[in-house]
Amino acid sequence: MQSIERLINYVQPFASIGLGLSYFLPLYQSANGEIRHADEWGLFFWAIPVIIIIFKTSNRWLKAGLCFLSAIGGLLDLFLITFLATFKSMPLVGFAIARASIIILVMGWFALCLISPLTPGHKLRYGG
């Protein structure tokens, strides 16, 4: 399980950076052909401080709770950008990157919700 947790810990920062970068890319094309970017910066940069807080948390039950709340927030964010892009007109590259990044983050957080309570705390052993 630690190898899965290590993989998640490597993938999540890249996904959160991708989510942040998608803010600067065109998100959707409106019905009249105008290309629009995201209006709310908070929808795209919230994952970076959340990941830092989760990585710094040592209590496994608190980490599981934070991951669960983050995953719920990620699903809400995914719903909001889907509404913003799909129902207004045609999604563009920023939407695709944002959606993929949020899905990776949410899957990682749900996996950490399950892994964190099952793994004992990380302790260093000295000697034989």
Side-chain angles (χ1 to χ4, degrees):
M1 275 199 239
Q2 286 186 344
S3 62
I4 295 171
E5 188 175 3
R6 186 175 299 142
L7 177 66
I8 292 169
N9 289 341
Y10 283 125
V11 170
Q12 282 190 328
F14 291 109
S16 65
I17 290 169
L19 182 62
L21 288 177
S22 66
Y23 172 76
F24 300 102
L25 299 171
L27 193 69
Y28 66 92
Q29 183 176 352
S30 64
N32 60 3
E34 182 182 351
I35 292 177
R36 302 288 307 265
H37 288 71
D39 298 328
E40 292 284 329
W41 67 269
L43 291 176
F44 292 85
F45 291 102
W46 63 272
I48 295 169
V50 166
I51 285 178
I52 293 170
I53 291 169
I54 288 173
F55 284 164
K56 296 295 182 184
T57 303
S58 59
N59 183 327
R60 59 187 179 163
W61 291 103
L62 180 60
K63 185 174 184 175
L66 288 173
C67 288
F68 180 75
L69 291 175
S70 301
I72 298 300
L75 290 175
L76 179 62
D77 198 12
L78 185 62
F79 172 75
L80 289 174
I81 66 166
T82 301
F83 180 79
L84 181 67
T86 308
F87 294 118
K88 294 225 175 171
S89 192
M90 186 175 80
L92 297 175
V93 65
F95 171 75
I97 293 173
R99 182 180 60 188
S101 299
I102 292 173
I103 289 171
I104 290 169
L105 288 169
V106 167
M107 287 173 48
W109 286 328
F110 276 133
L112 287 175
C113 280
L114 298 174
I115 292 171
S116 294
L118 300 176
T119 57
H122 303 288
K123 294 181 181 177
L124 295 174
R125 282 193 228 170
Y126 295 103

